Amino acid sequence: MEDINNSYLSFKIGTESFAIHVSRVNEIREYEEPRKMPETVSFMKGVIDHREEVVPVIDTGVKFGMNPVQITPQTCIVIIDVTREDTNSSFRVGILTDAVTDVFEVEESEFKQIDTDYSPNYIKATCNINDNFYLVLNSDKVFSINEIIGMGDMIKQISK
């Protein structure tokens, strides 16, 4: 089995390139229209069925303060695992991407840290691989505790 310790999945949101550790990626799916949910946060597009589980789909462009993801034939939903730090429980979220681009290897020593005064806490670091600049995500910090609780409560209501 291939060692995944230094493997990252890269994807585009607008013109920016992001990366996430492959151990956090559950599945990459072609885009499907999520079912709309009433009274949700602005970045939540709706929910999809994923292996008999209801998964919220997040417009990462809106969540990250960028333009919304434009739906094209390259649009993907990346199902990621997120761990709640307060309870150490995990759940899945689908993040919309303009395109999934690559899987690459990078050593932690090649990461460049960004001062937290200049970046959101969910950007773990940056790296430059083959002349491509990536913002590396910490999937566990993309959502606030209140957002996680809200999504969890919504999923529980749907699943009843």
Side-chain angles (χ1 to χ4, degrees):
M1 182 174 199
E2 187 177 325
D3 183 19
I4 63 166
N5 286 337
N6 300 319
S7 298
Y8 287 80
L9 175 76
S10 63
F11 55 91
K12 291 282 215 183
I13 302 172
T15 59
E16 299 302 322
S17 294
F18 291 83
I20 188 167
H21 197 276
V22 295
S23 68
R24 304 316 297 248
V25 176
N26 188 270
E27 184 177 2
I28 301 167
R29 298 173 61 143
E30 288 184 16
Y31 178 77
E32 64 182 90
E33 185 70 30
R35 286 180 209 82
K36 303 284 187 228
M37 296 299 303
E39 299 183 34
T40 59
V41 291
S42 62
F43 56 80
M44 188 167 158
K45 296 289 285 181
V47 296
I48 59 172
D49 287 323
H50 171 69
R51 299 180 186 165
E52 299 181 19
E53 180 181 358
V54 177
V55 174
V57 176
I58 304 305
D59 185 323
T60 47
V62 174
K63 173 64 180 149
F64 295 167
M66 303 164 66
N67 290 326
V69 171
Q70 298 300 310
I71 306 305
T72 70
Q74 291 78 36
T75 302
C76 292
I77 298 174
V78 179
I79 308 293
I80 63 170
D81 295 318
V82 177
T83 302
R84 277 183 62 168
E85 292 180 345
D86 62 333
T87 63
N88 210 28
S89 60
S90 64
F91 63 99
R92 292 195 173 97
V93 173
I95 59 173
L96 276 183
T97 66
D98 285 308
V100 169
T101 52
D102 198 6
V103 173
F104 62 85
E105 303 285 321
V106 62
E107 297 291 330
E108 290 264 344
S109 61
E110 295 180 62
F111 286 160
K112 292 182 177 54
Q113 303 301 314
I114 304 173
D115 188 320
T116 54
D117 290 342
Y118 303 106
S119 72
N121 65 346
Y122 55 82
I123 302 295
K124 175 180 174 178
T126 65
C127 63
N128 199 334
I129 306 295
N130 299 326
D131 295 325
N132 292 313
F133 182 79
Y134 297 98
L135 298 168
V136 181
L137 294 178
N138 177 340
S139 64
D140 296 339
K141 298 199 182 268
V142 170
F143 305 102
S144 71
I145 292 298
N146 288 340
E147 290 168 341
I148 291 170
I149 291 169
M151 285 188 283
D153 289 347
M154 185 202 56
I155 299 296
K156 286 177 190 168
Q157 290 297 321
I158 295 169
S159 300
K160 285 183 178 179

